[in-house]
Amino acid sequence: AQKVTQAQTEISVVEKEDVTLDCVYETRDTTYYLFWYKQPPSGELVFLIRRNSFDEQNEISGRYSWNFQKSTSSFNFTITASQVVDSAVYFCALRRSGANSKLTFGKGITLSVRP
Amino acid sequence: ETGVTQSPTHLIKTRGQQVTLRCSSQSGHNTVSWYQQALGQGPQFIFQYYREEENGRGNFPPRFSGLQFPNYSSELNVNALELDDSALYLCASSPNLLAGGGNEQFFGPGTRLTVL
């Protein structure tokens, strides 16, 4: 069975602070994919990043960066210099390799960025 | 390029009624998935359609059914509505997932269903 745990439920920061969102996953698969999605109040899930299980290189994309640690089954996401527009619910998700598109989501982290 | 669209935006039904939700996939995407998101929870996978056939199903009862049309648009039908069916229903489309890749899914804005 696959499982995604986002232990943080709500985070509040002041604008320009850095913030890290934690994600821990469980899977027996050797090949899988990890995602972060953002859900603003409008409700639409916005794709942010994807990581393949066979590529542990961590990257930075603009203000976003992620830390994939296969040894600890963690896939943490960092926003640098947060902005008010970053306020949203952030979901970590896991998908198996293969034809089934099922994404297993965590419960989400509500991020509030105060001016 | 048009993104994923869903209709209606909001819907109010009463227990026991039936509902049909609609989704138009993003151009070039032939796989559509449906998710149910209860308030304060992450989305839960209902099922996936590829080339007009169901190709994967989550832990939902048979009264949740769907269709995919030749233009890859899709419908989600829920019969005998229950109060717990109140949720945001999200549709997602993606390129051919049968290629086995981890292609990201692009989500629509959702349909907010309230069952009274």
Side-chain angles (χ1 to χ4, degrees):
Chain A
Q2 307 216 326
K3 185 178 179 181
V4 174
T5 301
Q6 295 181 260
Q8 304 154 310
T9 54
E10 294 186 22
I11 299 176
S12 182
V13 299
V14 176
E15 204 170 19
K16 298 185 183 177
E17 283 185 23
D18 298 346
V19 57
T20 295
L21 310 180
D22 298 335
C23 173
V24 174
Y25 62 92
E26 295 177 29
T27 180
R28 293 183 178 180
D29 295 338
T30 54
T31 301
Y32 50 88
Y33 303 89
L34 294 161
F35 302 81
W36 276 96
Y37 282 86
K38 171 183 178 181
Q39 188 174 44
S42 61
E44 183 172 344
L45 280 168
V46 178
F47 165 77
L48 296 176
I49 55 175
R50 177 191 68 204
R51 208 73 202 146
N52 307 328
S53 59
F54 43 85
D55 182 0
E56 290 192 65
Q57 181 179 354
N58 294 310
E59 293 184 17
I60 298 173
S61 176
R63 295 188 299 111
Y64 299 156
S65 63
W66 49 97
N67 187 346
F68 176 35
Q69 296 286 338
K70 207 168 180 178
S71 59
T72 56
S73 298
S74 65
F75 183 49
N76 298 336
F77 176 63
T78 297
I79 303 173
T80 303
S82 60
Q83 301 175 1
V84 173
V85 293
D86 294 328
S87 297
V89 182
Y90 288 81
F91 291 97
C92 179
L94 170 66
R95 180 180 169 253
R96 308 181 74 174
S97 175
N100 193 317
S101 66
K102 174 184 176 182
L103 284 167
T104 299
F105 285 87
K107 290 190 174 182
I109 302 169
T110 300
L111 173 64
S112 298
V113 182
R114 308 186 307 275
Chain B
E1 185 179 85
T2 306
V4 179
T5 60
Q6 292 185 244
S7 63
T9 306
H10 295 88
L11 203 52
I12 299 175
K13 292 284 189 178
T14 56
R15 273 188 306 175
Q17 285 189 312
Q18 178 266 343
V19 68
T20 297
L21 310 182
R22 295 178 174 82
C23 170
S24 291
S25 61
Q26 186 165 318
S27 176
H29 290 183
N30 57 19
T31 304
V32 173
S33 303
W34 287 91
Y35 292 81
Q36 179 195 66
Q37 186 180 15
L39 198 61
Q41 302 295 316
Q44 298 290 316
F45 176 75
I46 303 175
F47 43 55
Q48 168 189 312
Y49 276 83
Y50 170 71
R51 289 189 175 178
E52 303 176 55
E53 290 197 5
E54 187 179 294
N55 187 39
R57 189 177 183 93
N59 189 25
F60 281 81
R63 60 189 185 83
F64 285 78
S65 63
L67 285 173
Q68 186 180 32
F69 300 99
N71 66 353
Y72 305 131
S73 65
S74 177
E75 286 182 356
L76 164 65
N77 299 292
V78 187
N79 294 322
L81 283 167
E82 300 176 359
L83 297 180
D84 285 348
D85 295 334
S86 295
L88 179 67
Y89 288 84
L90 294 162
C91 170
S93 76
S94 54
N96 181 7
L97 285 178
L98 292 186
N103 294 323
E104 52 267 30
Q105 296 177 45
F106 295 89
F107 285 80
T111 293
R112 174 73 62 187
L113 173 64
T114 302
V115 182
L116 301 175

PDB file of all heavy atoms in Angstrom, chain A residues 61-87:
ATOM      1  N   SER A  61      14.388  25.641  -8.613  1.00  0.00           N
ATOM      2  CA  SER A  61      13.697  26.248  -9.732  1.00  0.00           C
ATOM      3  C   SER A  61      13.100  27.555  -9.247  1.00  0.00           C
ATOM      4  O   SER A  61      12.050  27.568  -8.588  1.00  0.00           O
ATOM      5  CB  SER A  61      12.604  25.305 -10.257  1.00  0.00           C
ATOM      6  OG  SER A  61      11.872  25.920 -11.285  1.00  0.00           O
ATOM      7  N   GLY A  62      13.769  28.632  -9.550  1.00  0.00           N
ATOM      8  CA  GLY A  62      13.287  29.922  -9.073  1.00  0.00           C
ATOM      9  C   GLY A  62      13.311  29.967  -7.555  1.00  0.00           C
ATOM     10  O   GLY A  62      14.346  29.714  -6.932  1.00  0.00           O
ATOM     11  N   ARG A  63      12.178  30.250  -6.946  1.00  0.00           N
ATOM     12  CA  ARG A  63      12.105  30.315  -5.483  1.00  0.00           C
ATOM     13  C   ARG A  63      11.821  28.948  -4.866  1.00  0.00           C
ATOM     14  O   ARG A  63      11.762  28.816  -3.645  1.00  0.00           O
ATOM     15  CB  ARG A  63      11.026  31.312  -5.063  1.00  0.00           C
ATOM     16  CG  ARG A  63      11.312  32.745  -5.445  1.00  0.00           C
ATOM     17  CD  ARG A  63      10.324  33.726  -4.837  1.00  0.00           C
ATOM     18  NE  ARG A  63       8.957  33.471  -5.285  1.00  0.00           N
ATOM     19  CZ  ARG A  63       7.997  33.007  -4.487  1.00  0.00           C
ATOM     20  NH1 ARG A  63       8.241  32.717  -3.224  1.00  0.00           N
ATOM     21  NH2 ARG A  63       6.765  32.825  -4.952  1.00  0.00           N
ATOM     22  N   TYR A  64      11.597  27.942  -5.696  1.00  0.00           N
ATOM     23  CA  TYR A  64      11.283  26.608  -5.216  1.00  0.00           C
ATOM     24  C   TYR A  64      12.522  25.722  -5.233  1.00  0.00           C
ATOM     25  O   TYR A  64      13.317  25.763  -6.171  1.00  0.00           O
ATOM     26  CB  TYR A  64      10.225  25.938  -6.094  1.00  0.00           C
ATOM     27  CG  TYR A  64       8.884  26.635  -6.165  1.00  0.00           C
ATOM     28  CD1 TYR A  64       8.050  26.440  -7.264  1.00  0.00           C
ATOM     29  CD2 TYR A  64       8.440  27.464  -5.154  1.00  0.00           C
ATOM     30  CE1 TYR A  64       6.812  27.060  -7.343  1.00  0.00           C
ATOM     31  CE2 TYR A  64       7.199  28.086  -5.221  1.00  0.00           C
ATOM     32  CZ  TYR A  64       6.386  27.884  -6.324  1.00  0.00           C
ATOM     33  OH  TYR A  64       5.158  28.485  -6.400  1.00  0.00           O
ATOM     34  N   SER A  65      12.649  24.894  -4.227  1.00  0.00           N
ATOM     35  CA  SER A  65      13.671  23.851  -4.234  1.00  0.00           C
ATOM     36  C   SER A  65      13.110  22.643  -3.506  1.00  0.00           C
ATOM     37  O   SER A  65      12.144  22.752  -2.760  1.00  0.00           O
ATOM     38  CB  SER A  65      14.969  24.329  -3.586  1.00  0.00           C
ATOM     39  OG  SER A  65      14.756  24.648  -2.218  1.00  0.00           O
ATOM     40  N   TRP A  66      13.704  21.495  -3.757  1.00  0.00           N
ATOM     41  CA  TRP A  66      13.212  20.295  -3.091  1.00  0.00           C
ATOM     42  C   TRP A  66      14.376  19.398  -2.710  1.00  0.00           C
ATOM     43  O   TRP A  66      15.432  19.415  -3.336  1.00  0.00           O
ATOM     44  CB  TRP A  66      12.197  19.542  -3.953  1.00  0.00           C
ATOM     45  CG  TRP A  66      12.620  19.291  -5.355  1.00  0.00           C
ATOM     46  CD1 TRP A  66      13.189  18.157  -5.862  1.00  0.00           C
ATOM     47  CD2 TRP A  66      12.505  20.181  -6.454  1.00  0.00           C
ATOM     48  NE1 TRP A  66      13.424  18.305  -7.197  1.00  0.00           N
ATOM     49  CE2 TRP A  66      13.010  19.536  -7.587  1.00  0.00           C
ATOM     50  CE3 TRP A  66      12.010  21.499  -6.592  1.00  0.00           C
ATOM     51  CZ2 TRP A  66      13.045  20.130  -8.832  1.00  0.00           C
ATOM     52  CZ3 TRP A  66      12.049  22.089  -7.839  1.00  0.00           C
ATOM     53  CH2 TRP A  66      12.556  21.410  -8.946  1.00  0.00           C
ATOM     54  N   ASN A  67      14.131  18.638  -1.673  1.00  0.00           N
ATOM     55  CA  ASN A  67      15.141  17.754  -1.110  1.00  0.00           C
ATOM     56  C   ASN A  67      14.554  16.347  -1.070  1.00  0.00           C
ATOM     57  O   ASN A  67      13.713  16.050  -0.231  1.00  0.00           O
ATOM     58  CB  ASN A  67      15.527  18.238   0.291  1.00  0.00           C
ATOM     59  CG  ASN A  67      16.700  17.447   0.855  1.00  0.00           C
ATOM     60  OD1 ASN A  67      17.064  16.391   0.336  1.00  0.00           O
ATOM     61  ND2 ASN A  67      17.287  17.955   1.921  1.00  0.00           N
ATOM     62  N   PHE A  68      15.003  15.498  -1.966  1.00  0.00           N
ATOM     63  CA  PHE A  68      14.521  14.125  -2.058  1.00  0.00           C
ATOM     64  C   PHE A  68      15.552  13.211  -1.411  1.00  0.00           C
ATOM     65  O   PHE A  68      16.690  13.133  -1.866  1.00  0.00           O
ATOM     66  CB  PHE A  68      14.318  13.762  -3.527  1.00  0.00           C
ATOM     67  CG  PHE A  68      13.910  12.329  -3.766  1.00  0.00           C
ATOM     68  CD1 PHE A  68      13.087  11.654  -2.893  1.00  0.00           C
ATOM     69  CD2 PHE A  68      14.361  11.660  -4.902  1.00  0.00           C
ATOM     70  CE1 PHE A  68      12.717  10.348  -3.127  1.00  0.00           C
ATOM     71  CE2 PHE A  68      13.981  10.350  -5.149  1.00  0.00           C
ATOM     72  CZ  PHE A  68      13.167   9.687  -4.268  1.00  0.00           C
ATOM     73  N   GLN A  69      15.163  12.546  -0.345  1.00  0.00           N
ATOM     74  CA  GLN A  69      16.043  11.633   0.366  1.00  0.00           C
ATOM     75  C   GLN A  69      15.388  10.250   0.353  1.00  0.00           C
ATOM     76  O   GLN A  69      14.514   9.957   1.170  1.00  0.00           O
ATOM     77  CB  GLN A  69      16.256  12.106   1.810  1.00  0.00           C
ATOM     78  CG  GLN A  69      16.969  13.435   1.954  1.00  0.00           C
ATOM     79  CD  GLN A  69      18.442  13.328   1.651  1.00  0.00           C
ATOM     80  OE1 GLN A  69      19.026  12.247   1.727  1.00  0.00           O
ATOM     81  NE2 GLN A  69      19.065  14.449   1.305  1.00  0.00           N
ATOM     82  N   LYS A  70      15.868   9.401  -0.529  1.00  0.00           N
ATOM     83  CA  LYS A  70      15.288   8.064  -0.645  1.00  0.00           C
ATOM     84  C   LYS A  70      15.520   7.250   0.617  1.00  0.00           C
ATOM     85  O   LYS A  70      14.687   6.449   1.025  1.00  0.00           O
ATOM     86  CB  LYS A  70      15.896   7.362  -1.858  1.00  0.00           C
ATOM     87  CG  LYS A  70      15.019   6.326  -2.493  1.00  0.00           C
ATOM     88  CD  LYS A  70      15.607   5.919  -3.833  1.00  0.00           C
ATOM     89  CE  LYS A  70      14.745   4.870  -4.497  1.00  0.00           C
ATOM     90  NZ  LYS A  70      15.289   4.508  -5.826  1.00  0.00           N
ATOM     91  N   SER A  71      16.662   7.472   1.271  1.00  0.00           N
ATOM     92  CA  SER A  71      17.013   6.684   2.457  1.00  0.00           C
ATOM     93  C   SER A  71      16.034   6.916   3.602  1.00  0.00           C
ATOM     94  O   SER A  71      15.811   6.024   4.435  1.00  0.00           O
ATOM     95  CB  SER A  71      18.431   7.015   2.902  1.00  0.00           C
ATOM     96  OG  SER A  71      18.535   8.403   3.193  1.00  0.00           O
ATOM     97  N   THR A  72      15.448   8.104   3.647  1.00  0.00           N
ATOM     98  CA  THR A  72      14.490   8.414   4.711  1.00  0.00           C
ATOM     99  C   THR A  72      13.067   8.558   4.174  1.00  0.00           C
ATOM    100  O   THR A  72      12.156   8.947   4.909  1.00  0.00           O
ATOM    101  CB  THR A  72      14.879   9.716   5.435  1.00  0.00           C
ATOM    102  OG1 THR A  72      14.967  10.771   4.453  1.00  0.00           O
ATOM    103  CG2 THR A  72      16.214   9.569   6.151  1.00  0.00           C
ATOM    104  N   SER A  73      12.891   8.248   2.893  1.00  0.00           N
ATOM    105  CA  SER A  73      11.563   8.354   2.254  1.00  0.00           C
ATOM    106  C   SER A  73      10.952   9.731   2.474  1.00  0.00           C
ATOM    107  O   SER A  73       9.773   9.862   2.857  1.00  0.00           O
ATOM    108  CB  SER A  73      10.612   7.267   2.789  1.00  0.00           C
ATOM    109  OG  SER A  73      11.105   5.993   2.481  1.00  0.00           O
ATOM    110  N   SER A  74      11.739  10.738   2.233  1.00  0.00           N
ATOM    111  CA  SER A  74      11.235  12.091   2.420  1.00  0.00           C
ATOM    112  C   SER A  74      11.398  12.904   1.141  1.00  0.00           C
ATOM    113  O   SER A  74      12.334  12.686   0.355  1.00  0.00           O
ATOM    114  CB  SER A  74      11.943  12.782   3.580  1.00  0.00           C
ATOM    115  OG  SER A  74      13.315  12.965   3.286  1.00  0.00           O
ATOM    116  N   PHE A  75      10.476  13.818   0.960  1.00  0.00           N
ATOM    117  CA  PHE A  75      10.481  14.659  -0.240  1.00  0.00           C
ATOM    118  C   PHE A  75      10.007  16.031   0.191  1.00  0.00           C
ATOM    119  O   PHE A  75       8.845  16.394   0.041  1.00  0.00           O
ATOM    120  CB  PHE A  75       9.554  14.043  -1.294  1.00  0.00           C
ATOM    121  CG  PHE A  75       9.527  14.770  -2.618  1.00  0.00           C
ATOM    122  CD1 PHE A  75      10.699  15.121  -3.269  1.00  0.00           C
ATOM    123  CD2 PHE A  75       8.319  15.084  -3.225  1.00  0.00           C
ATOM    124  CE1 PHE A  75      10.678  15.781  -4.494  1.00  0.00           C
ATOM    125  CE2 PHE A  75       8.279  15.742  -4.456  1.00  0.00           C
ATOM    126  CZ  PHE A  75       9.460  16.084  -5.079  1.00  0.00           C
ATOM    127  N   ASN A  76      10.942  16.815   0.730  1.00  0.00           N
ATOM    128  CA  ASN A  76      10.597  18.110   1.300  1.00  0.00           C
ATOM    129  C   ASN A  76      10.699  19.221   0.267  1.00  0.00           C
ATOM    130  O   ASN A  76      11.531  19.171  -0.648  1.00  0.00           O
ATOM    131  CB  ASN A  76      11.494  18.414   2.495  1.00  0.00           C
ATOM    132  CG  ASN A  76      11.312  17.397   3.606  1.00  0.00           C
ATOM    133  OD1 ASN A  76      10.265  16.751   3.716  1.00  0.00           O
ATOM    134  ND2 ASN A  76      12.334  17.240   4.423  1.00  0.00           N
ATOM    135  N   PHE A  77       9.882  20.225   0.453  1.00  0.00           N
ATOM    136  CA  PHE A  77       9.745  21.305  -0.519  1.00  0.00           C
ATOM    137  C   PHE A  77       9.975  22.633   0.187  1.00  0.00           C
ATOM    138  O   PHE A  77       9.400  22.876   1.240  1.00  0.00           O
ATOM    139  CB  PHE A  77       8.332  21.226  -1.117  1.00  0.00           C
ATOM    140  CG  PHE A  77       7.965  22.321  -2.065  1.00  0.00           C
ATOM    141  CD1 PHE A  77       8.662  22.491  -3.254  1.00  0.00           C
ATOM    142  CD2 PHE A  77       6.910  23.172  -1.798  1.00  0.00           C
ATOM    143  CE1 PHE A  77       8.309  23.497  -4.147  1.00  0.00           C
ATOM    144  CE2 PHE A  77       6.550  24.179  -2.686  1.00  0.00           C
ATOM    145  CZ  PHE A  77       7.253  24.337  -3.864  1.00  0.00           C
ATOM    146  N   THR A  78      10.829  23.465  -0.391  1.00  0.00           N
ATOM    147  CA  THR A  78      11.169  24.740   0.237  1.00  0.00           C
ATOM    148  C   THR A  78      10.810  25.901  -0.679  1.00  0.00           C
ATOM    149  O   THR A  78      11.112  25.872  -1.872  1.00  0.00           O
ATOM    150  CB  THR A  78      12.659  24.803   0.587  1.00  0.00           C
ATOM    151  OG1 THR A  78      12.956  23.780   1.549  1.00  0.00           O
ATOM    152  CG2 THR A  78      13.032  26.159   1.169  1.00  0.00           C
ATOM    153  N   ILE A  79      10.175  26.886  -0.100  1.00  0.00           N
ATOM    154  CA  ILE A  79       9.921  28.150  -0.798  1.00  0.00           C
ATOM    155  C   ILE A  79      10.836  29.190  -0.171  1.00  0.00           C
ATOM    156  O   ILE A  79      10.808  29.420   1.047  1.00  0.00           O
ATOM    157  CB  ILE A  79       8.459  28.600  -0.655  1.00  0.00           C
ATOM    158  CG1 ILE A  79       7.511  27.516  -1.184  1.00  0.00           C
ATOM    159  CG2 ILE A  79       8.227  29.919  -1.395  1.00  0.00           C
ATOM    160  CD1 ILE A  79       6.040  27.820  -0.923  1.00  0.00           C
ATOM    161  N   THR A  80      11.643  29.807  -1.006  1.00  0.00           N
ATOM    162  CA  THR A  80      12.573  30.836  -0.546  1.00  0.00           C
ATOM    163  C   THR A  80      11.931  32.207  -0.723  1.00  0.00           C
ATOM    164  O   THR A  80      11.244  32.443  -1.713  1.00  0.00           O
ATOM    165  CB  THR A  80      13.871  30.761  -1.368  1.00  0.00           C
ATOM    166  OG1 THR A  80      14.425  29.440  -1.235  1.00  0.00           O
ATOM    167  CG2 THR A  80      14.882  31.787  -0.882  1.00  0.00           C
ATOM    168  N   ALA A  81      12.161  33.072   0.259  1.00  0.00           N
ATOM    169  CA  ALA A  81      11.625  34.436   0.177  1.00  0.00           C
ATOM    170  C   ALA A  81      10.130  34.402  -0.134  1.00  0.00           C
ATOM    171  O   ALA A  81       9.678  34.882  -1.172  1.00  0.00           O
ATOM    172  CB  ALA A  81      12.384  35.241  -0.866  1.00  0.00           C
ATOM    173  N   SER A  82       9.374  33.836   0.775  1.00  0.00           N
ATOM    174  CA  SER A  82       7.943  33.626   0.552  1.00  0.00           C
ATOM    175  C   SER A  82       7.217  34.942   0.262  1.00  0.00           C
ATOM    176  O   SER A  82       7.638  36.030   0.690  1.00  0.00           O
ATOM    177  CB  SER A  82       7.322  32.953   1.772  1.00  0.00           C
ATOM    178  OG  SER A  82       7.488  33.760   2.927  1.00  0.00           O
ATOM    179  N   GLN A  83       6.124  34.802  -0.490  1.00  0.00           N
ATOM    180  CA  GLN A  83       5.301  35.953  -0.854  1.00  0.00           C
ATOM    181  C   GLN A  83       3.854  35.661  -0.458  1.00  0.00           C
ATOM    182  O   GLN A  83       3.466  34.494  -0.317  1.00  0.00           O
ATOM    183  CB  GLN A  83       5.386  36.203  -2.363  1.00  0.00           C
ATOM    184  CG  GLN A  83       6.798  36.472  -2.865  1.00  0.00           C
ATOM    185  CD  GLN A  83       6.864  36.586  -4.372  1.00  0.00           C
ATOM    186  OE1 GLN A  83       5.856  36.479  -5.080  1.00  0.00           O
ATOM    187  NE2 GLN A  83       8.076  36.815  -4.891  1.00  0.00           N
ATOM    188  N   VAL A  84       3.077  36.708  -0.331  1.00  0.00           N
ATOM    189  CA  VAL A  84       1.675  36.550   0.059  1.00  0.00           C
ATOM    190  C   VAL A  84       0.939  35.629  -0.923  1.00  0.00           C
ATOM    191  O   VAL A  84       0.090  34.824  -0.533  1.00  0.00           O
ATOM    192  CB  VAL A  84       0.970  37.920   0.156  1.00  0.00           C
ATOM    193  CG1 VAL A  84      -0.524  37.756   0.385  1.00  0.00           C
ATOM    194  CG2 VAL A  84       1.584  38.756   1.281  1.00  0.00           C
ATOM    195  N   VAL A  85       1.303  35.700  -2.190  1.00  0.00           N
ATOM    196  CA  VAL A  85       0.643  34.861  -3.206  1.00  0.00           C
ATOM    197  C   VAL A  85       0.953  33.372  -3.040  1.00  0.00           C
ATOM    198  O   VAL A  85       0.327  32.527  -3.677  1.00  0.00           O
ATOM    199  CB  VAL A  85       1.019  35.296  -4.642  1.00  0.00           C
ATOM    200  CG1 VAL A  85       0.457  36.668  -4.941  1.00  0.00           C
ATOM    201  CG2 VAL A  85       2.516  35.235  -4.859  1.00  0.00           C
ATOM    202  N   ASP A  86       1.919  33.065  -2.197  1.00  0.00           N
ATOM    203  CA  ASP A  86       2.224  31.653  -1.936  1.00  0.00           C
ATOM    204  C   ASP A  86       1.219  31.032  -0.965  1.00  0.00           C
ATOM    205  O   ASP A  86       1.234  29.816  -0.757  1.00  0.00           O
ATOM    206  CB  ASP A  86       3.634  31.513  -1.352  1.00  0.00           C
ATOM    207  CG  ASP A  86       4.719  31.920  -2.331  1.00  0.00           C
ATOM    208  OD1 ASP A  86       4.526  31.735  -3.551  1.00  0.00           O
ATOM    209  OD2 ASP A  86       5.759  32.437  -1.875  1.00  0.00           O
ATOM    210  N   SER A  87       0.381  31.831  -0.365  1.00  0.00           N
ATOM    211  CA  SER A  87      -0.617  31.322   0.578  1.00  0.00           C
ATOM    212  C   SER A  87      -1.556  30.369  -0.148  1.00  0.00           C
ATOM    213  O   SER A  87      -2.214  30.738  -1.124  1.00  0.00           O
ATOM    214  CB  SER A  87      -1.409  32.484   1.190  1.00  0.00           C
ATOM    215  OG  SER A  87      -0.581  33.335   1.942  1.00  0.00           O
TER     216      SER A  87
END
